[in-house]
């Protein structure tokens, strides 16, 4: 394969993946904007408190979808079509079971979950309503994640992108309709978000009826022993989402202690914009995963080296654009979400955006390469790098920096964690490149 053809193929998969994941992140970003206009700083704080639950739900969906699709691609590359169908069937079933568990959590335990996430008397009612409504749509969210990954691996990244973008645009429209003309408040914001994956599923299901479709649900006995192998390649995607949820949870608690709900509202702006940044790199990872898994299954070392270089260079280019836009536009961006024109919120959010987004120079490489290693069969490396940036390094650095620097230290935790993680990430990338020669 010529290098120009490889690069063209790389962007054919990467671009729809990026656009699609950005579309998914707009679910919550649209909620943030409309809630800030309709419910002010208190609504913004309540929404931010509920986000870790969304991160967990979306992360499990990504784990099942990306992990199952990676195994599907390995088996298709080796012409094991019956085994590929087995993987798709089990992934679909697992997503529905996990979705039902989240649904039961929303129906039976929304109130204690809201308190666990830090809601106080001012934010409790809105947080509870948002959580209960959102989690009732959990089976749709998880099934949508699975279909997106498998349709992409079945040679239709364009349809996957279309499903995500149309679903996201519908969320924006429904957010406006439910919050303002209908006056449904937080319930309307969550309802709009929950309807969006249903629209995406309807678009994706069209691929299942085409003659070229390689996805087949089979009637077979459940094989629990298959589930670990199905989920392991998707662990970096899960940990990346859990990282966002853990950061939200810990940062919310630290900010509540340091400066109260107004700081949490400011972080709500930063966190939701950061979700878009993370989504871009997650989209790059999930979009190129079919190529990486295919060439790894075919033992094509030359293609793997080229994909490794393309992935890293693209991540750095995206980080440069992202940081430039946010640094230059921090004030008007924050102003769009500050309907009360609160000067304290504006000061916290503008300073926080500029410091927080500096972390994406390293975060892009960490997210992309951790997923690359798992897609290439090096799941141990992908897992531990994701654990380091997503779980292990956050609490001690947050405690240290918040104690020494206050609110500024909270904003500095994210770039500090990513800078710490990028060193072993680059070492692992160099080893993979060397081993593929």
């Amino acid at each position: 394969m010529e290098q120009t053809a490889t690069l063209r193929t790389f962007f054919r998969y990467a671009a729809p993946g990026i656009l699609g994941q950005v579309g998914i992140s707009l679910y919550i970003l649209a909620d943030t904007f409309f809630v800030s206009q309709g419910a002010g700083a208190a609504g913004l704080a309540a929404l931010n408190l509920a986000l870790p639950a969304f991160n967990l739900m979306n992360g499990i969906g990504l784990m099942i979808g990306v992990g199952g699709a990676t195994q599907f691609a390995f088996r298709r590359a080796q012409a094991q079509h019956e085994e590929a169908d087995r993987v798709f069937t089990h992934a679909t079933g697992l997503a529905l079971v996990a979705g039902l568990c989240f649904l039961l959590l929303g129906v039976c335990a929304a109130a204690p979950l809201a308190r666990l996430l830090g809601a106080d008397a001012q934010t409790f009612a809105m947080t509870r309503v948002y959580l209960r409504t959102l989690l009732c749509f959990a089976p749709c969210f998880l099934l949508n994640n699975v279909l997106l990954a498998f349709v992409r691996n079945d040679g239709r990244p364009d349809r996957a992108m279309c499903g995500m973008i149309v679903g996201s645009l519908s969320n924006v429209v429904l957010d406006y309709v439910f919050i303002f003309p209908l006056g449904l408040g937080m319930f309307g914001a969550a309802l709009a978000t929950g309807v969006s994956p249903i629209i995406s599923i309807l678009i994706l299901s069209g691929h299942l009826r085409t003659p070229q479709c390689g996805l087949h649900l089979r009637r077979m006995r459940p094989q629990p022993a298959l589930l670990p192998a199905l989920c392991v390649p998707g662990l970096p995607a899960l940990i990346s989402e859990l990282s966002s949820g853990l950061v939200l949870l810990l940062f919310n608690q630290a900010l509540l202690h340091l400066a109260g709900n107004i700081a949490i509202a400011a972080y709500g702006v930063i966190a939701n914009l950061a979700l878009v940044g993370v989504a871009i790199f997650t989209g790059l990872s999930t979009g190129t995963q079919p190529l990486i898994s295919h060439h790894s299954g075919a033992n094509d070392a030359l293609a793997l080296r080229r994909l490794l270089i393309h992935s890293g260079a693209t991540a750095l280019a995206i980080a440069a654009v992202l940081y430039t836009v946010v640094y230059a536009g921090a004030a008007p961006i924050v102003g769009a979400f500050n309907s009360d024109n609160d000067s304290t919120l504006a000061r916290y959010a503008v300073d926080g955006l500029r410091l927080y987004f500096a972390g994406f120079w390293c975060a892009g490489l960490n997210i992309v390469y951790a997923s690359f290693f798992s897609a290439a069969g090096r799941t141990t490396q992908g897992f531990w790098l994701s654990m380091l940036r997503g779980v292990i390094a956050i609490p001690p650095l947050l405690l240290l920096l918040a104690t020494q620097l206050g609110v500024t230290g909270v904003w500095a935790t994210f770039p500090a964690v990513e800078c710490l993680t990028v060193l072993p990430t680059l070492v692992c990338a160099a080893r993979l490149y060397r081993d593929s020669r």
Side-chain angles (χ1 to χ4, degrees), residues 75 82-83 85-87 89-91 94 220-230:
R75 285 157 174 74
E82 184 175 343
E83 289 300 311
D85 291 343
R86 189 181 305 276
V87 168
T89 301
H90 277 74
L94 181 59
M220 58 183 66
R221 296 176 65 88
Q223 292 184 309
L226 178 63
L227 300 184
L230 186 149

Side-chain angles (χ1 to χ4, degrees), residues 347-366:
R347 185 179 74 255
Y348 281 143
V350 169
D351 292 344
L353 269 177
R354 288 172 173 163
L355 184 53
Y356 196 96
F357 268 70
F360 278 109
W361 287 96
C362 296
L365 291 174
N366 292 332

Side-chain angles (χ1 to χ4, degrees), residues 281 284 310-322 360-362 364-365:
F281 295 111
L284 176 59
H310 296 334
S311 297
T314 304
L316 290 174
I318 290 170
V321 173
L322 197 62
F360 278 109
W361 287 96
C362 296
L365 291 174

Side-chain angles (χ1 to χ4, degrees), residues 90-157:
H90 277 74
T92 303
L94 181 59
L96 291 174
V97 170
L100 287 174
C101 292
F102 277 107
L103 187 153
L104 290 174
L105 179 66
V107 171
C108 302
L113 181 59
R115 293 191 183 95
L116 179 65
L117 292 172
D120 59 14
Q122 185 181 10
T123 58
F124 173 75
M126 289 185 286
T127 306
R128 180 189 59 191
V129 167
Y130 192 88
L131 284 170
R132 177 174 292 146
T133 308
L134 187 72
L135 292 177
C136 283
F137 288 92
C140 302
F141 279 107
L142 271 72
L143 181 60
N144 184 46
N145 274 323
V146 168
L147 285 177
L148 286 168
F150 277 88
V151 168
R152 189 183 298 116
N153 276 265
D154 201 31
R156 291 303 307 272

Side-chain angles (χ1 to χ4, degrees), residues 387-410:
M387 284 293 293
L388 177 60
R389 69 172 291 270
V391 178
I392 297 171
I394 292 172
L397 284 175
L398 175 61
L399 178 62
L400 174 64
L401 294 173
T403 301
Q404 297 297 318
L405 302 174
V407 172
T408 300
V410 176

